[in-house]
Amino acid sequence: MVIYLPQHGAHADGEAPLLDELTPREIVRELDKYVIGQADAKKAVAIALRNRVRRQKLDPDMAEDLMPKNILMIGSTGVGKTEIARRLAKLANSPFLKVEASKFTEVGYVGRDVESMIRDLVEISIDMVREERLDDVADRAERFAEDRLLPLLMPPQAEAVEIESDEKAREKMREKFRTGKLDDKMVEIDVKDRAPMMDFGGPGPDDMDVSLKEFLPTLFGSRTKKRKMRVSEAFDYLVEEEELKLIDMDQVQRVAIERVERNGMIFLDEIDKIAGREGGQGPDVSREGVQRDILPIVEGTTVNTRYGFVRTDHILFIAAGAFHVSKPSDLIPELQGRFPIRVELKSLTEQDFIRILKEPKNALIKQSQALLDTEGIKLSFTEDALVELARFAAVVNAQAENIGARRLHTILEKVLEEISFEGPDLKKKTVKIDAEYVRKQLAEIVKDQDLTRYIL
């Protein structure tokens, strides 16, 4: 059972929830529901998450000095690196951002400086906190929107009509509205007229453009105009307006920044693409420079965002790369030292593929069955069909590019191609996939030596 407790010094209405009850073993068990194998990587991230919980229980002075142990995952594509990090962040309710380190090596990357990853993480955190607040105020917002909409639906009343009868008519109208009988009726409401956006052009910081866009409407004043729309649309618009009134965005921003600083996670993918020392020619010469740009962010610095200053000292960084050509020791020593925990993810075997097809909560077989079930097709797979699918995936990975579990997507899609195409017209709505059917669908692929022509 997952229990969220307020953090030390936290107010019940404003702080990020803290995962306090899951032991590292239980965290691994939760990750097992979505990712097959890779026990070492799961163990490493489980300890990192638990250490974050432990740090919150220390004295503030000690907690301030205790830095997170960042993790470097080494493994080829499709073995579960990103999924482990993403599921961990979801489990801990942490703001999570995946960013490719190679983005910062492109020519002319000046406008996309490394600090942008922190700004993006803050935006994600604000969206998370705002969604939580929206859930809290949803009922009140709907009630207020309903109260604003009802007078527009009421017929004009004579002045002599008693208040009591007016109330009865109002309640009757409310009942009609709630049962959807008035959804298609047209009403006229005041909607905010947004000021036109002005483009000042020229290069500048990522947030300058957004700040100007936010400032201009207040500069020219907020105007409204009458607009006719259906009752259902008007209700949605009014609910949105009421939600914005009920949410304190200043508090949302404060909580979001604090959540980033204490619970944020950044998954730095393709870090092997920037591993290399200067002295070469061409694009390689920028690699060490990019590493040195990333270093302060990982070490701990203060980044200026449009919502205020954000400290990166306690953000957990999980870096990942295949390291086929380069190796972790090719990174500059300072950056290596900031990723003390290193785990190697194993290549997936045929047996792993069988488990991936059926065991996880979002298993590929379950997804395919759910999709076709929307058209009344009951799809089932025999055990030998799963074995055959896994065997084909392993063979293609061995003979073509090894893309890990992603190969199963393309293999399964090829097997279900005819059923998916003919689905709506099928007379027989119960379909069983066995090993013979799998071999028949994939026979042409096996015959052709150039497998990449058929499967990416």
Side-chain angles (χ1 to χ4, degrees):
M1 180 179 173
V2 181
I3 299 176
Y4 292 102
L5 298 177
Q7 295 175 347
H8 289 295
H11 297 288
D13 64 341
E15 298 300 335
L18 176 65
L19 193 65
D20 200 36
E21 289 299 309
L22 286 182
T23 65
R25 194 180 300 278
E26 288 168 333
I27 292 168
V28 170
R29 201 173 296 134
E30 286 296 315
L31 294 173
D32 283 341
K33 294 177 182 177
Y34 300 97
V35 183
I36 296 299
Q38 312 304 357
D40 291 344
K42 289 175 185 172
K43 191 175 178 181
V45 297
I47 292 170
L49 183 58
R50 187 65 180 182
N51 280 341
R52 180 171 271 181
V53 174
R54 290 165 179 152
R55 189 179 73 83
Q56 299 293 344
K57 297 179 180 179
L58 295 174
D59 292 331
D61 290 342
M62 178 67 79
E64 184 65 27
D65 293 334
L66 192 68
M67 298 302 172
K69 305 294 187 295
N70 297 321
I71 299 165
L72 177 62
M73 292 185 181
I74 303 164
S76 56
T77 184
V79 295
K81 301 187 297 291
T82 307
E83 191 66 12
I84 287 173
R86 184 179 284 120
R87 292 294 172 183
L88 184 77
K90 201 167 185 181
L91 188 62
N93 196 28
S94 298
F96 174 79
L97 174 73
K98 177 189 173 184
V99 61
E100 286 78 28
S102 55
K103 277 187 178 178
F104 306 117
T105 64
E106 294 166 9
V107 176
Y109 80 97
V110 179
R112 185 71 178 166
D113 64 307
V114 292
E115 289 186 352
S116 64
M117 69 174 87
I118 304 300
R119 297 188 190 108
D120 291 344
L121 188 64
V122 171
E123 293 286 353
I124 289 166
S125 185
I126 283 174
D127 286 343
M128 282 178 68
V129 178
R130 188 195 289 121
E131 285 300 317
E132 289 165 14
R133 295 292 190 272
L134 286 175
D135 288 342
D136 293 340
V137 303
D139 292 339
R140 279 188 295 159
E142 287 184 10
R143 193 165 63 248
F144 293 154
E146 196 176 87
D147 289 340
R148 284 176 62 186
L149 193 58
L150 282 176
L152 303 176
L153 297 171
M154 297 286 289
Q157 299 285 337
E159 290 181 14
V161 175
E162 295 180 3
I163 294 174
E164 187 180 346
S165 62
D166 190 47
E167 274 302 312
K168 284 181 182 176
R170 189 184 182 89
E171 288 308 309
K172 200 175 284 185
M173 189 65 73
R174 191 188 298 273
E175 187 62 34
K176 278 186 180 181
F177 167 73
R178 286 180 176 175
T179 54
K181 292 177 181 175
L182 304 174
D183 281 357
D184 293 327
K185 187 175 178 180
M186 300 298 289
V187 290
E188 192 174 67
I189 64 169
D190 291 324
V191 298
K192 285 181 181 175
D193 187 16
R194 296 190 179 187
M197 294 298 104
M198 295 171 66
D199 182 11
F200 287 85
D206 290 346
D207 2 83
M208 183 183 289
D209 183 46
V210 185
S211 299
L212 286 169
K213 287 178 181 178
E214 286 184 345
F215 176 68
L216 283 173
T218 55
L219 181 69
F220 295 116
S222 183
R223 297 176 298 176
T224 60
K225 61 179 180 181
K226 296 281 186 186
R227 187 176 153 198
K228 283 192 175 182
M229 58 178 79
R230 291 189 304 172
V231 166
S232 56
E233 294 171 355
F235 180 65
D236 289 341
Y237 179 83
L238 294 174
V239 167
E240 214 171 284
E241 265 196 3
E242 292 299 326
E243 284 174 342
L244 290 175
K245 290 180 191 174
L246 291 167
I247 293 174
D248 181 355
M249 282 308 295
D250 289 336
Q251 189 197 44
V252 166
Q253 289 169 16
R254 285 196 304 273
V255 173
I257 287 176
E258 191 166 346
R259 192 175 292 191
V260 165
E261 291 181 336
R262 298 211 277 193
N263 291 336
M265 287 187 197
I266 290 183
F267 184 76
L268 202 55
D269 203 6
E270 296 183 352
I271 198 162
D272 56 318
K273 301 290 196 305
I274 61 165
R277 304 297 177 85
E278 288 187 5
Q281 297 294 321
D284 290 346
V285 296
S286 70
R287 290 180 181 180
E288 187 175 336
V290 175
Q291 292 179 59
R292 294 201 180 279
D293 285 347
I294 290 174
L295 183 61
I297 307 289
V298 181
E299 277 182 327
T301 188
T302 301
V303 176
N304 186 14
T305 74
R306 53 188 283 234
Y307 303 106
F309 291 98
V310 178
R311 291 181 59 200
T312 68
D313 302 65
H314 299 289
I315 293 174
L316 177 64
F317 288 87
I318 300 176
F323 289 99
H324 290 318
V325 178
S326 57
K327 48 189 183 295
S329 59
D330 289 333
L331 294 166
I332 59 174
E334 300 93 324
L335 195 58
Q336 287 182 54
R338 290 296 165 180
F339 290 91
I341 312 298
R342 294 188 186 177
V343 287
E344 196 159 342
L345 284 82
K346 299 177 179 67
S347 294
L348 298 171
T349 65
E350 197 172 311
Q351 202 57 39
D352 290 330
F353 286 151
I354 295 172
R355 293 181 61 202
I356 288 167
L357 282 168
K358 60 179 183 179
E359 286 184 22
K361 275 192 172 182
N362 58 346
L364 291 178
I365 295 298
K366 295 173 188 173
Q367 291 177 12
S368 300
Q369 288 170 329
L371 272 177
L372 290 171
D373 193 40
T374 60
E375 294 185 340
I377 299 167
K378 302 300 176 188
L379 186 66
S380 63
F381 289 80
T382 62
E383 194 64 33
D384 62 348
L386 299 183
V387 171
E388 202 65 16
L389 284 167
R391 187 180 70 80
F392 272 107
V395 167
V396 178
N397 270 349
Q399 296 185 18
E401 191 72 27
N402 186 354
I403 59 171
R406 294 190 179 94
R407 185 68 66 191
L408 288 171
H409 287 271
T410 49
I411 288 281
L412 189 59
E413 201 62 35
K414 185 70 179 173
V415 168
L416 297 178
E417 190 175 45
E418 282 186 23
I419 297 169
S420 297
F421 185 78
E422 300 288 348
D425 306 316
L426 283 177
K427 298 287 188 290
K428 189 181 176 184
K429 294 293 183 182
T430 303
V431 180
K432 181 182 279 189
I433 305 290
D434 56 16
E436 185 57 39
Y437 185 84
V438 172
R439 283 192 290 269
K440 177 187 162 193
Q441 292 299 106
L442 301 176
E444 291 303 314
I445 296 173
V446 178
K447 282 179 191 173
D448 200 300
Q449 293 301 308
D450 184 9
L451 298 173
T452 55
R453 283 179 56 192
Y454 295 92
I455 295 189
L456 298 175

